[in-house]
Amino acid sequence: MMDEFEVLRSTARAAYARGDWHAANEQLERARELADLPTEDLDLLGSASWWVGRVRDSLAISEEVYHRFEDGGDRPRAAMKAVNLGLLWFIRGDLVIASGWAHRARRILADLPEGPERGYLLYLDASIDMDFHDLGPTRAAAAELRELGRRLRAPQLTSLGLVLSGLCDVRDGDAASGFAQLDEAMLPVLAGRMPPEWAGDIYCTVIHACHDVADLARMRAWTRATEQWCEQFHGEVVYSGICRIHRLQLLCVEGSWDRAEPAIERSGTELIGRNNWVAGEAFYQLGEIRRLRGDAGGARAAYAQATELGTEPQPGESLLQRAEGRKDDAWAGLCAALAGRDRLASARLLGSAVDVALELGLADEAEQLCRDLEDTAAAFGTAGFRAWAAQARASVLVSGARYSEALPVLRAAAAEYRGLHASYETARVYELLARAHRGLGERGAAAADSATALAIYRRLGALPDIRRLDGGALPGGLTGREADVLALIAGGASNKDTAEALFISQKTVGRHLANIFAKIGVSSRTAAAAWAHEHGLHPQR
């Protein structure tokens, strides 16, 4: 039996060394069933368990390793294990427990000689306490980390310092300097000199920074880079799921909603308890797809899940209220969300706030919000912010009947959105172009712009927008009930399922289907489903 135990330990260590976390986890678990694992091997098991998504097991095992180090008097390794546990709880989204482990590490390190453990703790503390209303403490931590890295000849600590400094510059509006530092921070990662858990955190941090400033081109590049980094490991790992969410976010921007909706719900669910930050982003994005498709109930459910995971569902939740005619509630929600946010965190809300303010007749408020967004776009200089600001300014101009002034602004916005491959936003700009041309009496141009917007909405399946531009008419001359039946059938429901969902008889469902087939010129459920997808009909939840 001992021979088998030693063979399992040896093969597990080899698997771990080559990044085959699944094999390492399986073999170490088998060895653990035969005898107690030495601390070194138990430590590997804890790490491998985390990588394959067994987060609860990983945290329990890692805590046992911590106590073994502490009981054995190995205080530097106990401190580093406490810092690593703090990182894993931080990634999971539990700041209270992460802070507890950071405090434990700080207590152990208080009277120990200076070592790299102190640098990792400094980065973890800064990540937990990061407050971008006051960048001073984060900049101080970044400078201390870079100096500690120089003294200890530890490039990984210098890299962590560059991450903090880069984030500060990005948040401060100097995106060029910030991303240059974040790019430089990746050099030790690419050279394999950074522990993989910390390397993965850096990759995710850079992608989040790109998303925050709406630099979609850079976000695409870093998502690809992270996916390539994940490929060195064998099998599915935690960061593979995180990358998948970011890839799906980009697909949503590009308009691939049919592909993205089921995948993002599945991937977000898989990340719950592993990385609640990204899982929350996934459910918010799911809510956005459903809202734009007219699925109010499904959107509310997704926003509620995002909230539970710590992600504020704005501006989507307020825009859903606006679509339901609750404009005062939408305005109150956006104002509450904007209160206390810094310039960067507000950027994603301002365009929606401009639109709601205009609908409520709050012209002065809309003008001020638009100026705030223009100032932010000028400071950060990213294509995404420029597009948002141009669209907001055009909305203000069109609302004020300043149609000639709006046209060049709208053309600039359309060009930016096309460069970003942002389908839905491009359609909205074409709607504004139609309004401007109509206001100038240019009916032919207005009709062409409106047709372009409608074609994009149909391709996306943005049913509320399709109905609005079609004057409320449904495609194919369908009635509202026929559209409901077809949407459910297209989603894979049987006649029985459809009858139960709509509280009608199966006989009535059959009659509706016969009428539907005749109206849209098809003779099978498969053809009807294809027609429904093409014309943006999707089931309501």
Side-chain angles (χ1 to χ4, degrees):
M1 183 175 293
M2 288 308 296
D3 286 344
E4 183 183 356
F5 179 75
E6 293 301 330
V7 168
L8 287 170
R9 288 177 60 203
S10 176
T11 55
R13 289 174 180 174
Y16 189 95
R18 65 176 183 270
D20 190 347
W21 315 117
H22 289 270
N25 183 79
E26 179 184 354
Q27 289 156 4
L28 285 169
E29 283 288 10
R30 287 173 58 195
R32 196 182 187 195
E33 292 172 1
L34 298 176
D36 286 340
L37 288 174
T39 301
E40 300 290 341
D41 294 313
L42 191 64
D43 196 14
L44 295 184
L45 176 59
S47 180
S49 296
W50 184 82
W51 278 95
V52 301
R54 296 177 56 193
V55 175
R56 290 183 181 276
D57 290 342
S58 170
L59 293 170
I61 292 168
S62 295
E63 187 166 347
E64 182 181 344
V65 171
Y66 162 79
H67 286 298
R68 286 193 188 185
F69 285 146
E70 187 178 45
D71 293 344
D74 194 339
R75 299 178 68 199
R77 295 182 75 183
M80 192 63 215
K81 180 50 62 176
V83 174
N84 275 324
L85 275 161
L87 175 69
L88 298 186
W89 280 104
F90 176 75
I91 291 171
R92 197 168 186 257
D94 196 320
L95 300 187
V96 173
I97 299 180
S99 296
W101 280 106
H103 178 73
R104 185 170 286 181
R106 195 177 307 113
R107 174 175 53 77
I108 297 171
L109 291 171
D111 56 356
L112 289 180
E114 184 175 77
E117 303 86 6
R118 197 177 302 275
Y120 286 105
L121 175 61
L122 187 62
Y123 178 81
L124 178 61
D125 280 337
S127 298
I128 294 171
D129 298 332
M130 206 169 278
D131 181 359
F132 286 113
H133 297 285
D134 179 8
L135 295 173
T138 308
R139 289 195 184 279
E144 187 177 348
L145 260 171
R146 292 197 301 271
E147 176 58 24
L148 185 61
R150 184 194 63 78
R151 288 200 305 271
L152 298 178
R153 298 180 181 273
Q156 63 271 33
L157 300 186
T158 304
S159 176
L160 295 174
L162 285 167
V163 171
L164 295 179
S165 180
L167 288 176
C168 286
D169 281 356
V170 168
R171 291 274 174 172
D172 217 18
D174 191 351
S177 171
F179 282 116
Q181 292 178 82
L182 290 171
D183 289 346
E184 185 182 348
M186 295 307 302
L187 296 178
V189 174
L190 297 172
R193 304 186 71 174
M194 182 73 71
E197 293 89 343
W198 297 81
D201 183 68
I202 294 175
Y203 271 114
C204 287
T205 296
V206 174
I207 294 173
H208 279 295
C210 297
H211 184 263
D212 283 347
V213 299
D215 189 339
L216 299 187
R218 192 181 293 269
M219 183 177 172
R220 288 185 180 96
W222 275 107
T223 299
R224 284 195 299 270
T226 310
E227 288 168 338
Q228 290 169 359
W229 177 74
C230 287
E231 287 173 3
Q232 69 181 294
F233 310 124
H234 299 259
E236 182 79 5
V237 295
V238 168
Y239 285 112
S240 303
I242 293 171
C243 285
R244 192 173 302 114
I245 296 297
H246 295 314
R247 176 65 62 198
L248 290 167
Q249 286 176 319
L250 293 167
L251 277 178
C252 291
V253 171
E254 294 161 11
S256 299
W257 295 353
D258 277 333
R259 288 175 57 195
E261 183 175 1
I264 205 163
E265 181 174 20
R266 182 173 59 253
S267 297
T269 301
E270 290 171 354
L271 280 178
I272 294 175
R274 302 180 182 185
N275 189 313
N276 286 349
W277 307 106
V278 180
E281 288 183 25
F283 279 97
Y284 176 74
Q285 188 65 67
L286 178 64
E288 288 294 89
I289 297 173
R290 291 175 173 174
R291 174 179 68 82
L292 293 172
R293 286 187 147 173
D295 180 2
R300 275 191 291 271
Y303 291 148
Q305 181 69 73
T307 301
E308 188 175 326
L309 292 165
T311 296
E312 185 179 39
Q314 291 288 2
E317 193 169 59
S318 287
L319 293 177
L320 181 60
Q321 292 170 331
R322 168 198 178 196
E324 295 171 335
R326 299 159 54 198
K327 295 178 184 177
D328 289 333
D329 290 340
W331 175 245
L334 286 167
C335 289
L338 283 165
R341 288 198 178 205
D342 64 17
R343 178 174 59 175
L344 179 55
S346 297
R348 201 165 292 272
L349 306 178
L350 290 171
S352 299
V354 167
D355 288 341
V356 174
L358 290 172
E359 289 187 11
L360 289 170
L362 305 174
D364 291 342
E365 288 86 343
E367 175 63 30
Q368 184 56 59
L369 291 163
C370 183
R371 288 181 182 176
D372 291 344
L373 184 50
E374 288 171 328
D375 290 344
T376 300
F380 288 88
T382 62
F385 281 7
R386 289 195 301 268
W388 295 352
Q391 182 179 345
R393 173 53 63 194
S395 294
V396 171
L397 292 171
V398 170
S399 179
R402 295 159 64 184
Y403 304 120
S404 294
E405 293 176 64
L407 287 176
V409 180
L410 283 165
R411 292 184 185 115
E416 295 282 16
Y417 279 134
R418 283 194 294 268
L420 293 168
H421 310 292
S423 295
Y424 183 79
E425 290 76 11
T426 300
R428 290 194 60 206
V429 169
Y430 272 103
E431 268 204 82
L432 284 170
L433 278 166
R435 287 179 59 189
H437 281 127
R438 196 175 299 115
L440 292 168
E442 299 170 356
R443 294 189 177 183
D449 291 332
S450 184
T452 299
L454 183 56
I456 296 172
Y457 289 143
R458 281 179 171 153
R459 178 173 60 80
L460 294 173
L463 191 55
D465 296 294
I466 295 168
R467 288 175 173 171
R468 178 167 43 75
L469 287 193
D470 265 355
L474 286 162
L478 300 178
T479 66
R481 177 59 84 194
E482 287 168 349
D484 291 339
V485 169
L486 179 54
L488 286 163
I489 295 298
S494 66
N495 283 18
K496 182 175 182 293
D497 295 333
T498 301
E500 290 175 354
L502 298 177
F503 301 101
I504 57 179
S505 69
Q506 292 187 55
K507 184 177 179 180
T508 302
V509 171
R511 187 170 65 250
H512 282 313
L513 280 175
N515 292 336
I516 290 165
F517 285 8
K519 286 184 178 182
I520 66 177
V522 301
S523 58
S524 70
R525 296 169 77 96
T526 301
W531 189 95
H533 286 297
E534 181 182 345
H535 290 81
L537 294 178
H538 298 275
Q540 306 293 296
R541 288 167 176 77

